[in-house]
Amino acid sequence: GAGVSQSPRYKVAKRGQDVALRCDPISGHVSLFWYQQALGQGPEFLTYFQNEAQLDKSGLPSDRFFAERPEGSVSTLKIQRTQQEDSAVYLCASSLALILRAGELFFGEGSRLTVL
Amino acid sequence: ILNVEQSPQSLHVQEGDSTNFTCSFPSSNFYALHWYRWETAKSPEALFVMTLNGDEKKKGRISATLNTKEGYSYLYIKGSQPEDSATYLCAFTTNSGNTPLVFGKGTRLSVIA
């Protein structure tokens, strides 16, 4: 499709399980972002890629969170040893803009993670 | 810490009513203010991007204004319809360094037919 695609849409994990969330951005978009939206909160920045380079990972809440974009297209957000506080909607967005502050973000529908 | 405040948190209006909500942001080092609409089970969709003080933008029944000196933006919906029910998010960026969009918590609008 023409938009940002995320999978799975819904994931239920047992505490301690590892999960992987996938994002397929719009073709040609060099910038890719991951945001986390916990219940009752706004989207919080996690990390940013420009092509395959991870330029900012300051928002990743712990070393259990890891993101990659090895070929500058599809990205995967991995969460190891999930905890209940990881339950959230994980949003992926892509942009044509090289500079973070410029340009519109195009979002996927999100992956809703529930950790039991 | 960059902080974006949106009010109200939630709002219920009758079909046909007009409504508005507020986004407050730090006025220093301002670069751009974005409004997004996020319908349930869909992806957030950009409504407006505004950069200049005094900017006014309009899309159909929805419009937005921007005051960068005092750090606020208003979103107006005229003659609300049930399909306007969504969470409206605002986000801003600064011209200080290479910072990503900082989002508010959103205003959840429910339009009752």
Side-chain angles (χ1 to χ4, degrees):
Chain A
V4 177
S5 178
Q6 291 189 246
S7 62
R9 291 288 309 279
Y10 303 93
K11 175 71 180 177
V12 178
K14 291 184 180 176
R15 193 159 57 100
Q17 220 177 341
D18 296 350
V19 299
L21 308 176
R22 176 190 166 106
C23 173
D24 205 336
I26 293 172
S27 178
H29 279 197
V30 297
S31 296
L32 185 146
F33 304 80
W34 284 98
Y35 280 82
Q36 178 194 58
Q37 194 211 18
L39 190 66
Q41 303 298 314
E44 299 269 354
F45 171 77
L46 292 177
T47 187
Y48 158 65
F49 291 86
Q50 191 178 106
N51 296 307
E52 69 279 2
Q54 189 175 21
L55 298 187
D56 187 343
K57 54 181 181 178
S58 61
L60 295 176
S62 78
D63 59 8
R64 296 185 295 103
F65 286 70
F66 171 77
E68 59 183 6
R69 193 186 185 198
E71 296 176 3
S73 179
V74 170
S75 177
T76 304
L77 177 67
K78 297 179 179 177
I79 310 172
Q80 296 176 320
R81 304 181 305 281
T82 52
Q83 303 294 313
Q84 284 188 320
E85 62 262 27
D86 301 334
S87 296
V89 176
Y90 291 85
L91 288 166
C92 175
S94 68
S95 174
L96 275 172
L98 289 175
I99 301 173
L100 298 193
R101 62 179 178 268
E104 178 183 330
L105 294 186
F106 293 83
F107 282 91
E109 292 175 329
S111 291
R112 181 179 292 277
L113 172 65
T114 302
V115 181
L116 303 177
Chain B
I1 295 176
L2 302 173
N3 204 28
V4 180
E5 300 285 342
Q6 289 190 248
S7 63
Q9 261 190 326
S10 65
L11 192 56
H12 292 76
V13 301
Q14 294 288 331
E15 182 177 358
D17 286 352
S18 295
T19 187
N20 66 84
F21 4 104
T22 306
C23 172
S24 301
F25 52 87
S27 54
S28 60
N29 300 317
F30 173 85
Y31 184 82
L33 192 286
H34 299 233
W35 281 100
Y36 285 82
R37 175 171 60 199
W38 192 1
E39 295 179 65
T40 303
K42 295 187 177 180
S43 54
E45 171 196 359
L47 287 172
F48 306 113
V49 180
M50 296 183 288
T51 56
L52 298 176
N53 185 45
D55 254 356
E56 289 189 32
K57 297 230 173 165
K58 188 174 180 183
K59 185 183 285 190
R61 293 178 292 99
I62 304 176
S63 60
T65 61
L66 178 67
N67 183 322
T68 61
K69 295 188 186 309
E70 296 181 40
Y72 65 84
S73 174
Y74 292 134
L75 188 80
Y76 300 91
I77 302 178
K78 185 177 177 183
S80 304
Q81 299 297 309
E83 58 264 30
D84 297 328
S85 298
T87 295
Y88 291 82
L89 293 165
C90 78
F92 91 113
T93 57
T94 73
N95 56 21
S96 172
N98 202 17
T99 54
L101 290 185
V102 176
F103 283 87
K105 293 183 181 182
T107 292
R108 181 184 289 276
L109 174 67
S110 298
V111 182
I112 304 160

